[in-house]
Amino acid sequence: MKLSNVLSTVNQFEKSKFINFLDRICSEASAHDKELAKQFKNLDGQIKNASSGEVTQLFKLALPLYQKEVKSQLALSGAQAALLVNILSRDGNCVARVSWIEQLYAREWKQIDAQAKELQTFFTSTDKSDAYDEPKRLAIYHACLYEALHNDERVNREGKITDEERGILNVLAHKLDVTADNRVAIEHLIDPIPKTGVAECLNQLREIGIVFVSKKHQTVYVPDEIVALLHRIQSKELADKHLLRILRTFSDAELSNVLKNHDKRIRGVDREDKIDTVFKMGLSVSDILCKDMHNEQTALPERKDRLKLLIDDLQLAVNKLGSTLEERCSLIIQSLNSSAEHEFNILSATGYKSLFATLSQHMPKLPAMLKTEFELEPNQEIDVEKLRALAITPYDILFMLSNDQIKALKSEMCISRRGDARQVILESFADATDKLVENYEALARRDLAELKQKNIEIAEADIGVKFEEVTKAIFEELGLVVDEDLRRDINTAKDKADILLSLSEDDIIIGEAKTSKKGDFAKYSTTSRQVKAYVSRCEAVGKRVAQVLIVAPSFSNDFVESAEMDTEVNISLLEASGLKKILEAHKSRRNPKFSAKLFTKGGLLKADLIAKNI
């Protein structure tokens, strides 16, 4: 979830620690940062009263200093905080119940403790050995880490590893080829990680503005922006899901090359175990791409060509290829780190739901696979809204599956088009949405006969939901931001808004999509009560409702008059045929000029006039 959405979700008490931490950093930084000082002055120094958008803007301006302070605080927080941060910054854990985080922590602690005991036997057996093998290298790192932790005690100070010492140890680990899992296990041997106390440590992390904890729902939130910040502090070049995506495109020989370069066993190890071992080693992605995956005798031009092929395999849209090996490696990393928005936009909300439903139908175990892949709670319901909140894109799902599984899916779905199987599957769902958009008016009228004539099979009970989803798809094609995160946050079992369009960090349009089989839509009193409830819910989380927009096949005269005379809320009405006409005008222009403000005029909107002015 984005920071602005988290701020809108939690209450004032639950975001107070983050606000206080940001307030202190902004106060200190204002003296030498004119832009930040100006923004801070606009709030009169009262961040507590600022809107979610204003707080988010301040966070962006103060980010370098914020990151520096968080890094400093984490360095003083001990091994337990480091382990917890590692768990919270992993894919799928940015929104999770406290009890599930505690279970993940217990599982991780058990693995680290077992590995630490196994390494202990290494050190006792290598004391008299002269061989410079892995046990010897681990013993050297162990001795240096022990010295860094205990050298303070000689001058009567508490034993801690400073930020400078940590930097030196990281270089040493890299030169000695000590993998990330072994580093953690060795440190656990010297300075044991507490087995309990997760709740107290979460509060400690909350104090330094890393997490939000909802007491009511017992849920931990880590905004996407904070996850990215933590990755930078951890020197983590890519999110885990993106590293796995890369490894799954490698051949068996390339995976073996990576393992051989780090003295790991390859004989009798199957493909999945190779991927799992490389993933857990915590290697630099740059080193894997530039060096480890290639044979030693592979020439530079061949390595560059292999990265060019990898860019295609990962379906990355890059403007240039780069002339050097390092440039191509950097392009791959940058593209994956900034891919989320593009990957969500590749399918409309409707297309994503259809994709997930179809994949689940052909692969009933898909939800369970997602829970395993992204460490989701076993009893948690998996749907597209939940996946969006966890920043899990359609590409993440398809790249989670093996090439053989993808080919089998393509065949089962009767997709005959040639090309990359994953891309072809995605495009087929984009096409399905386009077909529904073409027949948007028939969908609005609930005209099953016409839809069937156009080879669109749909149950009558599903028409309302489909109309809502296609309306979202049209808004997205018009370049509007359909905010599914906010919609999920404000919806209750009783009040469920159809569509929320974000105009800015704080301003929104509430959209309602209404079908009608009997002709003109005429239920004003019922619709009015609904939208007013949604307005109240949005305002309660700090959003300003610029307009309510109702889309229907047509409206009765009484409905139009009632909407125009309503003094409590601003309502605009738009006929389905008019919205389709606006979309067609938008598509026909080379450089369309469309603004959501065209929907805020009130009353029955003149689609012809809007289409003409795009």
Side-chain angles (χ1 to χ4, degrees), residues 80 84 102 105 194-204:
Q80 184 174 41
L84 201 50
E102 289 175 335
Y105 181 91
K195 191 174 183 178
T196 58
V198 174
E200 292 82 357
C201 193
L202 280 173
N203 282 328
Q204 184 183 353

Side-chain angles (χ1 to χ4, degrees), residues 484-552:
E484 288 294 291
D485 289 338
L486 179 61
R487 188 175 79 93
R488 187 190 66 255
D489 294 337
I490 71 128
N491 277 0
T492 64
K494 183 181 177 183
D495 300 321
K496 293 186 177 182
D498 289 346
I499 303 164
L500 292 180
L501 303 174
S502 285
L503 305 181
S504 65
E505 292 286 356
D506 298 306
D507 296 316
I508 61 167
I509 290 176
I510 295 175
E512 281 295 294
K514 302 292 185 182
T515 59
S516 178
K517 196 172 187 177
K518 299 176 182 178
D520 293 340
F521 191 69
K523 300 176 182 178
Y524 186 78
S525 58
T526 304
T527 306
S528 175
R529 283 196 299 271
Q530 285 178 333
V531 298
K532 286 170 184 174
Y534 307 151
V535 169
S536 297
R537 295 284 304 166
C538 290
E539 289 176 345
V541 296
K543 300 295 182 180
R544 290 190 293 266
V545 180
Q547 196 78 11
V548 172
L549 175 64
I550 302 173
V551 182

Side-chain angles (χ1 to χ4, degrees), residues 122 375 538:
F122 271 15
E375 294 185 325
C538 290

